[in-house]
Every structure is written in C-alpha cells, then in structure tokens.
Amino acid sequence: MAGSGKTSGSTGAAIITGQTTWGPHPLEQLFERTFRTKGLVHLALRHRSVSKGENNCRLQYVGDAVWDVAADLFWIRHCLAPEQAGPGKANTVSNKALSIMAVELGISELLEVGLSLGGCIDETVKKLQGMANKGSSFCQPENISSMKLFADEFEAVVGALFIDAGLDLAPVEAFFEKRVVPMLTKQLPQYAFQ
C-alpha cells in the first residue's frame, strides 16, 4: 500500500475477476447500487501503470463523455439564469474539479497503481485535501499534471457505472444529484440550484 492508492505487483489477475465473498465494494456503497458486472468495478480502479492490457483507460474514455452529458443536463435544468450553465459546467468537468471530487468521495483511496506511481499518490491527495478544505474553487488555475491521475480515475468509475447500468444515464445523474451537488453547494455558493 503506497499512499492512498493501492500498489500492485503481479497479483492483478485476481483483482479483475471481482470474485469476492465479503460485502459490497466501496464503489457500490458510494453509488448505492450493486454492480451486475463486478469486474467493471475493479477494472475502473486499475491504472495503466499496473497493466497495459487490462486497465481503466477505455472506461475513462466513456466516463469522460458520460460525465460531460450529465453535467450539461444538470446545469441546464438547475440554473436560475441560463448564462450560469457554461461557467457552472466548467466547475464540474475540469481535471481539478474531478480530482477534488475523487478525493472527497474516497474514490482516490481505491485506485490501484503500479509501483512507479505509488510515491506521488500521498503528495497529490494531501494537496487536493488542502484545496478542498480551504474552499478552493474547482476551476482555479493550478499545476494539475499529477492530479489528472485522479480525474481519469473518477471518469473511469463513472464509465463503469454507465456501462453496468446498460448504458442508462439515470444512475449517473442520480449520483451527480446526491453526491456531487452537496460539494458544489459548498464550493460554489454563488450558484442557486433549483
């Protein structure tokens, strides 16, 4: 275990199968949903530094697009003024915003990374926690190259949720409303949500 994420050596194949006998996975608890395909949960948390073949890159690609749509729909539906939708969306899809969400929701603690990345995890988590505790705006400019790791992980988890739900956006929207909106309310008090 290095930092908040898990490091992996040669035991990766067992993780992908998702064969567990102990309670729900922490992501299932976060999403309040039982995944039909347990392997997706584990794959979403597996960084490419662990395995070039079986990793979260494809899920991250899907999750990026799905999160973009969920953010669009939320801001269009909930802004009192239409001109707030664009800037508001930027506060929910930037790498910095996704990284902070991954840390605040505990997703970052579940990421499985290769040994070469283990050392940077602690530093990045501490920085993001400090930003969240200070009420740092999600879109304030920062050097976020190391934070992209958590942004990609967040998107991969969203991609896994979407695919497991049979390409249904409703569980992603429900997650947005229940888990992300409270963070937005704290981080962005200038926005009025209906």
Side-chain angles (χ1 to χ4, degrees), residues 7-13 46 50 112-115:
T7 57
S8 177
S10 60
T11 60
R46 178 173 258 228
V50 174
E112 181 186 5
V113 296
L115 295 173

Side-chain angles (χ1 to χ4, degrees), residues 65-88:
V66 168
W67 192 251
D68 199 51
V69 170
D72 277 337
L73 292 173
F74 171 81
W75 286 101
I76 289 168
R77 290 176 185 151
H78 296 285
C79 281
L80 291 174
E83 62 274 5
Q84 290 180 328

Side-chain angles (χ1 to χ4, degrees), residues 4-158:
S4 296
K6 296 183 291 185
T7 57
S8 177
S10 60
T11 60
I15 292 172
I16 294 300
T17 63
Q19 302 299 318
T20 60
T21 55
W22 58 87
H25 189 278
L27 282 183
E28 292 177 315
Q29 293 172 337
L30 178 67
F31 290 127
E32 297 178 355
R33 160 188 191 85
T34 301
F35 275 71
R36 294 178 303 190
T37 310
K38 300 289 186 192
L40 276 175
V41 174
H42 299 286
L43 191 61
L45 299 170
R46 178 173 258 228
H47 188 262
R48 67 180 170 267
S49 63
V50 174
S51 170
K52 297 293 183 205
E54 293 184 348
N55 59 55
N56 64 8
C57 287
R58 289 181 184 203
L59 290 174
Q60 183 262 324
Y61 182 79
V62 171
D64 177 41
V66 168
W67 192 251
D68 199 51
V69 170
D72 277 337
L73 292 173
F74 171 81
W75 286 101
I76 289 168
R77 290 176 185 151
H78 296 285
C79 281
L80 291 174
E83 62 274 5
Q84 290 180 328
K89 180 187 171 188
N91 281 291
T92 51
V93 299
S94 72
N95 282 336
K96 181 178 175 186
L98 297 178
S99 297
I100 290 173
M101 288 182 224
V103 169
E104 285 199 11
L105 294 169
I107 295 170
S108 62
E109 296 175 16
L110 304 171
L111 179 62
E112 181 186 5
V113 296
L115 295 173
S116 63
L117 292 178
C120 76
I121 300 291
D122 276 339
E123 181 182 321
T124 303
V125 168
K126 286 177 187 171
K127 184 174 183 179
L128 288 166
Q129 286 172 334
M131 294 164 90
N133 291 339
K134 286 188 235 172
S136 173
S137 170
F138 280 165
C139 273
Q140 227 171 20
E142 288 285 335
N143 177 3
I144 60 168
S145 59
S146 61
M147 294 180 202
K148 185 158 175 19
L149 182 76
F150 294 141
D152 290 349
E153 176 191 15
F154 185 92
E155 291 169 340
V157 165
V158 168

